[in-house]
DNA sequence: GAGCACTGC
């Protein structure tokens, strides 16, 4: 295909080039451990813990409209229960079973596994549907795995989900915003369609509150319960939990100390340690490499591995390979290993007791990342990673008395993040009064009101709270956040919809610029990036990258390597842009190019992102136009090293030691007066 | 001078 065969894997500077696309998703089973792999499929199915509960499941689903199933990952519930229902006739009369997963990876791998067990081709009786990848047959598919966003989209077209006899919500304990929206909507649908059944599956969540939420039995009436709980006991080994006597001053060093002790004194078994971010993980690994030598343990050599989402796929896969003989894997991970992935062979868990979460800051109307103590449920989930193959040990880096002070559950995402997209979605689904919507856990009213205020300012909803036509109703159709979709829809008026659709696609992918860690190449990468940089800011810079990428599409991969651009990110941006173009055509938004007139593009960006405006205060820091909060230019911005412009718009805020603006565009204050008039006349 | 995890007909 192209000329990259001269690159050697040993050349560290090219390591980034190996990435997810090289992993064959069909044959990649490293993520899922199956100890019965040598048995025939039917035999494997019968050995799963859930098999003993087959009759219970089928009995309870007849009797109750909603069933809450609690069971650990690995008990087989996500693959088996849909098949039990299918085999018991729940797909007669052309009805389907819908299984809703929080991640694309789960939806596709589970569907493929179930298709194998049903001995059918994927996309026939068993299929899946995720964004950019439809693999199901509307007439033949009976068991359909999908992501949460897909079901929300289906509800917009078919509000009572008439195609389905059963909906299964999986991994509900993660409590994503979409999970909560779906639960609220399904509660309504269940009232209207008595024959629809709902199964809610969860690993740790508090099943009692879920049961109460779905129970339609009215107080003081003799009517029967409509919801029930089934607990599936998986096979777990006992876990011994250790606490420290006194709080540790620095949990990174604490984790390192603890790992060294385990490695020196404990028998074989891999170690999994939780920290909050990649920076901490890299720091811990440096310390460990200094302190652990081949001689630290007579029998086992340490094999120290990082694990976090931004890590290249080739690096992530190392964590799943079986531990070589006479070695001990020591994995230092973010929260990704708490729920999203399962690593086999863990016997020791070290928990720093903290997690990094998105948190809505109402002063600046933005989500920020904060490090907070974990919840009890989260601590238990982390601990549970130790007892999968034999009795395990867990080390918590806080005193035992602190455990009781932890909150029981991590607040659902809805209660702690920006709600503007969720509110817009609900409005489109016919929920006019979002303040009275039955959320599984109502988010703070202030956050809902701020979301409504923002949507009104960008004219997605009118003063009475109804979706505007055509702007608001069209915005919902795009898989973009409200400010982004507003920008896109107004882009044809500014004569630059081609450029804006590119920029918005580029904003949705991360790590466009490759940053090698070693000296010479990091300077080269810096020089290459300069070639794309322009004084208008980061967004026009991204536009330049994409335009150059498309011009070189016949040798895209080698072009990316040459210019230190992330090929995978650009390919995904291309994919997202094509989806946007299709939607734009459908909603009659003409594709117009401004042929290099950057001012048009910047004015258009202002028309959508005006709520995120800042000005340069005489003290030398930027302040938000409404709240007057201090913000700083992120070092990754092209504007970091130039004279500070007077007015800026940002697309994203990162809260670390300061509040940093990312993806910045230079604007004029007169544009704000013109394009964000309604919003700013109150503020100024 | 810096980066939780997911996701979208």
């Amino acid at each position: 295909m192209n000329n990259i065969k001269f690159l050697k894997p040993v050349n560290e500077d090219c390591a980034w080039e190996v990435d997810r696309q090289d992993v064959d998703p069909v044959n990649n089973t490293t993520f899922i451990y199956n100890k019965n792999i040598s048995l025939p499929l039917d035999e494997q199915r019968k050995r799963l813990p859930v098999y003993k509960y087959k009759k219970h499941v089928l009995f309870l689903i007849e009797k109750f409209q909603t069933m809450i199933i609690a069971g650990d990952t690995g008990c087989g519930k996500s693959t088996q229960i849909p098949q039990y229902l299918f085999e018991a006739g729940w797909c007669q009369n052309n009805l389907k079973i819908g299984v809703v997963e929080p991640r694309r990876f789960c939806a596709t791998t589970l569907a493929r596994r179930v298709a194998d067990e049903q001995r059918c081709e994927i996309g026939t009786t068993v299929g899946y549907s995720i964004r950019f990848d439809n693999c199901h047959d509307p007439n033949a598919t009976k068991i359909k795995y999908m992501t949460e966003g897909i079901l929300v989209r289906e509800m917009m077209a078919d509000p009572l989900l008439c195609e389905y006899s059963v909906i299964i919500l999986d991994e509900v304990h993660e409590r994503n915003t979409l999970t909560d929206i779906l639960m609220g909507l399904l509660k309504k649908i269940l009232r209207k369609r008595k024959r629809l059944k709902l199964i809610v599956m969860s690993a740790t969540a508090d099943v009692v509150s879920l049961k109460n939420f779905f129970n339609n039995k009215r107080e003081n009436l003799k009517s029967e319960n409509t919801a029930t709980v089934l607990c599936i006991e998986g096979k777990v080994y006992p876990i011994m939990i250790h606490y420290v006597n006194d709080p540790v001053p620095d949990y990174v060093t604490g984790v390192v100390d603890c790992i060294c002790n385990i490695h020196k004194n404990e028998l074989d078994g891999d170690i999994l340690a939780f920290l909050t971010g990649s920076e901490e993980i890299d720091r811990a690994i440096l310390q460990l490499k200094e302190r652990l030598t081949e001689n630290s343990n007579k029998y086992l050599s340490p094999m120290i591995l990082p694990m976090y989402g931004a890590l290249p796929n080739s690096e992530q896969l190392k964590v799943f390979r079986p531990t070589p003989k006479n070695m001990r894997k020591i994995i230092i991970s973010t929260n990704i290993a708490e729920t999203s992935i399962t690593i086999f062979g863990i016997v020791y868990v070290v928990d720093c007791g903290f997690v990094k979460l998105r948190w809505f800051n109402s002063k600046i109307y933005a989500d920020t990342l904060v490090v907070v103590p974990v919840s009890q449920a989260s601590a238990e989930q982390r601990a549970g990673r130790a007892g999968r193959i034999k009795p395990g040990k867990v080390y918590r880096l806080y005193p035992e008395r602190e455990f009781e002070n932890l909150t029981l559950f991590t607040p659902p995402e809805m209660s702690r993040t920006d709600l503007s997209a969720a509110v817009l979605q609900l409005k489109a689904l016919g929920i006019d009064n979002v303040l009275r919507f039955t959320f599984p856990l109502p988010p703070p009213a202030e956050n809902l009101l701020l979301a409504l205020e923002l949507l009104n300012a960008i004219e997605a909803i009118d003063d009475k709270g109804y979706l505007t036509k055509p702007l608001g109703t069209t915005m919902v159709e795009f898989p973009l956040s409200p400010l982004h979709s507003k920008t896109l829809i107004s882009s044809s008026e500014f004569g630059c919809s081609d450029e804006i659709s590119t920029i918005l696609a580029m904003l949705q992918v991360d790590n466009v610029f490759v940053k090698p860690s070693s000296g010479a190449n990091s300077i080269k990468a810096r020089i290459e990036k300069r070639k794309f940089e322009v004084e208008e800011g980061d967004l026009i810079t991204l536009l330049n990258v994409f335009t150059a990428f498309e011009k070189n599409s016949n040798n895209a991969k080698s072009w990316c390597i040459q210019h230190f651009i992330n090929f995978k990110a650009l390919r995904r941006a291309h994919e997202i842009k094509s989806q946007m173009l299709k939607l734009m055509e459908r909603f009659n938004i003409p594709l117009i190019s401004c042929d290099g007139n950057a001012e048009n593009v910047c004015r258009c960006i202002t028309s959508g992102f005006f709520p995120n405006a800042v000005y340069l205060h005489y003290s030398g820091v930027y302040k938000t136009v409404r709240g007057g909060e201090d913000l700083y230019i992120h070092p990754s911005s092209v504007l970091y090293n130039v004279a500070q412009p007077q007015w800026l718009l940002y697309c994203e805020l990162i809260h670390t030691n300061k509040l940093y603006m990312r993806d910045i565009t230079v604007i004029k204050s007169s544009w704000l007066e013109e394009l964000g008039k309604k919003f700013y006349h109150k503020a100024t």
Side-chain angles (χ1 to χ4, degrees), chain A residues 103 153 309 356 358 369 515 586 656:
Chain A
R103 280 173 296 285
R153 294 284 158 184
K356 200 176 282 184
R358 253 165 67 189
L369 290 171
K515 271 164 268 169
R586 169 121 65 96
T656 48

Short mmCIF file of all heavy atoms in Angstrom, two decimals, chain A residues 103 153 309 356 358 369 515 586 656, chain B:
data_model
loop_
_atom_site.label_atom_id
_atom_site.label_comp_id
_atom_site.label_asym_id
_atom_site.label_seq_id
_atom_site.Cartn_x
_atom_site.Cartn_y
_atom_site.Cartn_z
N ARG A 103 -20.07 1.01 25.44
CA ARG A 103 -18.92 1.22 24.55
C ARG A 103 -19.06 0.42 23.26
O ARG A 103 -19.61 -0.67 23.25
CB ARG A 103 -17.63 0.79 25.25
CG ARG A 103 -17.07 1.80 26.23
CD ARG A 103 -15.90 1.23 26.99
NE ARG A 103 -16.28 0.12 27.82
CZ ARG A 103 -16.95 0.22 28.96
NH1 ARG A 103 -17.28 1.41 29.41
NH2 ARG A 103 -17.28 -0.84 29.66
N ARG A 153 -31.19 7.53 19.43
CA ARG A 153 -31.57 7.91 18.06
C ARG A 153 -32.79 7.12 17.59
O ARG A 153 -33.68 7.66 16.95
CB ARG A 153 -30.40 7.65 17.10
CG ARG A 153 -29.21 8.52 17.33
CD ARG A 153 -29.44 9.92 16.81
NE ARG A 153 -28.54 10.86 17.46
CZ ARG A 153 -28.57 12.17 17.27
NH1 ARG A 153 -29.45 12.71 16.48
NH2 ARG A 153 -27.73 12.95 17.91
N GLY A 309 -5.86 5.38 28.75
CA GLY A 309 -6.57 5.47 27.49
C GLY A 309 -5.77 6.07 26.36
O GLY A 309 -5.87 5.62 25.22
N LYS A 356 -9.76 10.66 39.05
CA LYS A 356 -9.95 11.94 38.36
C LYS A 356 -11.29 11.89 37.65
O LYS A 356 -11.57 10.98 36.88
CB LYS A 356 -8.81 12.16 37.36
CG LYS A 356 -8.66 13.62 36.96
CD LYS A 356 -7.48 13.84 36.05
CE LYS A 356 -6.16 13.86 36.79
NZ LYS A 356 -5.03 14.18 35.86
N ARG A 358 -14.71 14.21 35.76
CA ARG A 358 -15.20 15.45 35.19
C ARG A 358 -16.18 16.08 36.16
O ARG A 358 -17.02 15.39 36.73
CB ARG A 358 -15.91 15.15 33.87
CG ARG A 358 -15.11 15.58 32.68
CD ARG A 358 -15.63 14.96 31.43
NE ARG A 358 -16.96 15.49 31.11
CZ ARG A 358 -17.71 14.96 30.16
NH1 ARG A 358 -17.30 13.94 29.47
NH2 ARG A 358 -18.88 15.48 29.89
N LEU A 369 -11.63 18.87 35.14
CA LEU A 369 -11.20 17.59 35.70
C LEU A 369 -10.69 17.82 37.11
O LEU A 369 -9.87 18.70 37.34
CB LEU A 369 -10.08 17.00 34.84
CG LEU A 369 -10.48 16.49 33.46
CD1 LEU A 369 -9.26 16.14 32.64
CD2 LEU A 369 -11.39 15.29 33.58
N LYS A 515 3.81 13.75 19.34
CA LYS A 515 4.92 14.35 20.09
C LYS A 515 5.87 13.26 20.59
O LYS A 515 5.64 12.65 21.62
CB LYS A 515 4.36 15.15 21.27
CG LYS A 515 4.07 16.60 20.88
CD LYS A 515 3.19 17.28 21.89
CE LYS A 515 1.73 17.14 21.50
NZ LYS A 515 0.82 17.56 22.54
N ARG A 586 -28.87 16.33 4.01
CA ARG A 586 -30.24 15.99 4.41
C ARG A 586 -30.99 17.21 4.94
O ARG A 586 -32.20 17.35 4.73
CB ARG A 586 -30.18 14.88 5.46
CG ARG A 586 -31.49 14.60 6.16
CD ARG A 586 -31.95 13.17 5.98
NE ARG A 586 -31.07 12.20 6.60
CZ ARG A 586 -31.28 11.69 7.81
NH1 ARG A 586 -32.29 12.11 8.54
NH2 ARG A 586 -30.45 10.80 8.29
N THR A 656 -6.10 21.92 35.49
CA THR A 656 -5.06 21.16 36.22
C THR A 656 -4.62 22.06 37.36
O THR A 656 -5.42 22.31 38.26
CB THR A 656 -3.91 20.75 35.29
OG1 THR A 656 -3.49 21.87 34.52
CG2 THR A 656 -4.35 19.65 34.36
P DG B 1 7.24 28.01 31.78
OP1 DG B 1 6.59 29.27 32.03
OP2 DG B 1 8.03 27.33 32.80
"O5'" DG B 1 6.19 26.96 31.21
"C5'" DG B 1 4.80 26.99 31.56
"C4'" DG B 1 4.15 25.74 31.00
"O4'" DG B 1 4.65 25.49 29.66
"C3'" DG B 1 4.45 24.47 31.80
"O3'" DG B 1 3.25 23.72 31.89
"C2'" DG B 1 5.48 23.73 30.96
"C1'" DG B 1 5.10 24.15 29.55
N9 DG B 1 6.20 24.17 28.60
C8 DG B 1 7.50 24.52 28.83
N7 DG B 1 8.26 24.44 27.75
C5 DG B 1 7.38 24.00 26.76
C6 DG B 1 7.62 23.74 25.38
O6 DG B 1 8.68 23.83 24.76
N1 DG B 1 6.46 23.32 24.72
C2 DG B 1 5.24 23.20 25.33
N2 DG B 1 4.24 22.80 24.55
N3 DG B 1 5.00 23.44 26.62
C4 DG B 1 6.12 23.84 27.26
P DA B 2 3.05 22.82 33.15
OP1 DA B 2 2.46 23.66 34.19
OP2 DA B 2 4.28 22.05 33.42
"O5'" DA B 2 1.96 21.78 32.60
"C5'" DA B 2 0.64 22.20 32.34
"C4'" DA B 2 -0.03 21.21 31.41
"O4'" DA B 2 0.62 21.24 30.12
"C3'" DA B 2 0.02 19.75 31.87
"O3'" DA B 2 -1.19 19.13 31.47
"C2'" DA B 2 1.18 19.17 31.07
"C1'" DA B 2 0.99 19.91 29.76
N9 DA B 2 2.19 20.05 28.95
C8 DA B 2 3.43 20.48 29.32
N7 DA B 2 4.30 20.53 28.34
C5 DA B 2 3.57 20.09 27.24
C6 DA B 2 3.91 19.90 25.90
N6 DA B 2 5.13 20.16 25.41
N1 DA B 2 2.96 19.45 25.07
C2 DA B 2 1.74 19.20 25.55
N3 DA B 2 1.30 19.33 26.79
C4 DA B 2 2.27 19.79 27.60
P DG B 3 -2.50 19.24 32.38
OP1 DG B 3 -3.14 20.53 32.24
OP2 DG B 3 -2.12 18.74 33.72
"O5'" DG B 3 -3.45 18.17 31.69
"C5'" DG B 3 -3.29 16.81 32.00
"C4'" DG B 3 -3.78 15.99 30.82
"O4'" DG B 3 -3.05 16.34 29.66
"C3'" DG B 3 -3.58 14.50 31.04
"O3'" DG B 3 -4.79 13.92 31.50
"C2'" DG B 3 -3.23 13.99 29.66
"C1'" DG B 3 -2.53 15.18 29.05
N9 DG B 3 -1.07 15.19 29.24
C8 DG B 3 -0.36 15.03 30.41
N7 DG B 3 0.93 15.12 30.26
C5 DG B 3 1.09 15.38 28.90
C6 DG B 3 2.25 15.58 28.14
O6 DG B 3 3.41 15.58 28.52
N1 DG B 3 1.95 15.80 26.79
C2 DG B 3 0.69 15.82 26.27
N2 DG B 3 0.60 16.04 24.99
N3 DG B 3 -0.41 15.64 26.97
C4 DG B 3 -0.15 15.43 28.27
P DC B 4 -4.76 13.12 32.78
OP1 DC B 4 -4.47 13.98 33.88
OP2 DC B 4 -3.93 11.92 32.48
"O5'" DC B 4 -6.27 12.64 32.87
"C5'" DC B 4 -6.67 11.61 32.12
"C4'" DC B 4 -7.43 10.61 32.95
"O4'" DC B 4 -8.47 11.24 33.67
"C3'" DC B 4 -8.13 9.66 32.00
"O3'" DC B 4 -7.24 8.65 31.63
"C2'" DC B 4 -9.23 9.16 32.89
"C1'" DC B 4 -9.59 10.41 33.68
N1 DC B 4 -10.71 11.16 33.06
C2 DC B 4 -11.99 10.65 33.18
O2 DC B 4 -12.13 9.58 33.78
N3 DC B 4 -13.02 11.30 32.62
C4 DC B 4 -12.80 12.44 31.98
N4 DC B 4 -13.85 13.06 31.47
C5 DC B 4 -11.52 12.98 31.83
C6 DC B 4 -10.49 12.30 32.38
P DA B 5 -7.43 8.14 30.15
OP1 DA B 5 -6.45 7.07 30.01
OP2 DA B 5 -7.41 9.29 29.24
"O5'" DA B 5 -8.91 7.55 30.12
"C5'" DA B 5 -9.16 6.32 30.81
"C4'" DA B 5 -10.63 6.10 30.91
"O4'" DA B 5 -11.27 7.24 31.50
"C3'" DA B 5 -11.38 6.00 29.58
"O3'" DA B 5 -11.10 4.78 28.94
"C2'" DA B 5 -12.79 6.04 30.14
"C1'" DA B 5 -12.65 7.17 31.15
N9 DA B 5 -13.04 8.44 30.56
C8 DA B 5 -12.25 9.40 29.97
N7 DA B 5 -12.91 10.43 29.53
C5 DA B 5 -14.23 10.12 29.82
C6 DA B 5 -15.44 10.80 29.62
N6 DA B 5 -15.51 12.01 29.02
N1 DA B 5 -16.57 10.22 30.04
C2 DA B 5 -16.50 9.01 30.62
N3 DA B 5 -15.43 8.27 30.88
C4 DA B 5 -14.31 8.90 30.46
P DC B 6 -11.23 4.77 27.39
OP1 DC B 6 -10.34 3.74 26.88
OP2 DC B 6 -11.17 6.16 26.86
"O5'" DC B 6 -12.71 4.24 27.26
"C5'" DC B 6 -13.51 4.85 26.33
"C4'" DC B 6 -14.92 4.87 26.84
"O4'" DC B 6 -15.08 5.90 27.80
"C3'" DC B 6 -15.87 5.25 25.71
"O3'" DC B 6 -16.15 4.10 24.96
"C2'" DC B 6 -17.03 5.79 26.49
"C1'" DC B 6 -16.33 6.57 27.58
N1 DC B 6 -16.05 7.99 27.21
C2 DC B 6 -17.11 8.90 27.12
O2 DC B 6 -18.26 8.48 27.36
N3 DC B 6 -16.88 10.18 26.79
C4 DC B 6 -15.62 10.58 26.55
N4 DC B 6 -15.43 11.85 26.23
C5 DC B 6 -14.52 9.67 26.60
C6 DC B 6 -14.78 8.40 26.93
P DT B 7 -15.89 4.21 23.43
OP1 DT B 7 -15.91 2.85 22.92
OP2 DT B 7 -14.75 5.09 23.21
"O5'" DT B 7 -17.18 5.00 22.91
"C5'" DT B 7 -18.46 4.48 23.25
"C4'" DT B 7 -19.46 5.59 23.16
"O4'" DT B 7 -19.05 6.70 23.96
"C3'" DT B 7 -19.61 6.21 21.79
"O3'" DT B 7 -20.44 5.38 21.01
"C2'" DT B 7 -20.28 7.51 22.13
"C1'" DT B 7 -19.66 7.88 23.47
N1 DT B 7 -18.62 8.93 23.37
C2 DT B 7 -19.03 10.24 23.39
O2 DT B 7 -20.20 10.57 23.49
N3 DT B 7 -18.01 11.15 23.29
C4 DT B 7 -16.66 10.89 23.17
O4 DT B 7 -15.85 11.80 23.09
C5 DT B 7 -16.31 9.49 23.15
C7 DT B 7 -14.86 9.09 23.03
C6 DT B 7 -17.29 8.60 23.27
P DG B 8 -20.39 5.54 19.46
OP1 DG B 8 -20.89 4.27 18.92
OP2 DG B 8 -19.08 6.07 19.04
"O5'" DG B 8 -21.48 6.67 19.21
"C5'" DG B 8 -22.80 6.45 19.65
"C4'" DG B 8 -23.65 7.60 19.22
"O4'" DG B 8 -23.24 8.77 19.95
"C3'" DG B 8 -23.51 7.93 17.74
"O3'" DG B 8 -24.80 8.12 17.18
"C2'" DG B 8 -22.71 9.21 17.72
"C1'" DG B 8 -23.06 9.84 19.04
N9 DG B 8 -21.99 10.66 19.57
C8 DG B 8 -20.65 10.33 19.66
N7 DG B 8 -19.92 11.29 20.16
C5 DG B 8 -20.84 12.31 20.42
C6 DG B 8 -20.64 13.59 20.96
O6 DG B 8 -19.60 14.10 21.32
N1 DG B 8 -21.83 14.30 21.04
C2 DG B 8 -23.05 13.84 20.66
N2 DG B 8 -24.07 14.66 20.81
N3 DG B 8 -23.25 12.64 20.15
C4 DG B 8 -22.11 11.94 20.06
P DC B 9 -24.88 7.98 15.62
OP1 DC B 9 -24.45 6.62 15.33
OP2 DC B 9 -24.19 9.12 15.06
"O5'" DC B 9 -26.43 8.15 15.28
"C5'" DC B 9 -27.38 7.19 15.69
"C4'" DC B 9 -28.05 6.56 14.50
"O4'" DC B 9 -29.05 7.46 14.00
"C3'" DC B 9 -27.14 6.23 13.28
"O3'" DC B 9 -27.47 4.95 12.79
"C2'" DC B 9 -27.48 7.29 12.29
"C1'" DC B 9 -28.97 7.50 12.59
N1 DC B 9 -29.54 8.76 12.07
C2 DC B 9 -28.82 9.61 11.22
O2 DC B 9 -27.72 9.33 10.89
N3 DC B 9 -29.39 10.73 10.78
C4 DC B 9 -30.61 11.05 11.13
N4 DC B 9 -31.12 12.18 10.66
C5 DC B 9 -31.38 10.21 11.99
C6 DC B 9 -30.80 9.09 12.44
#
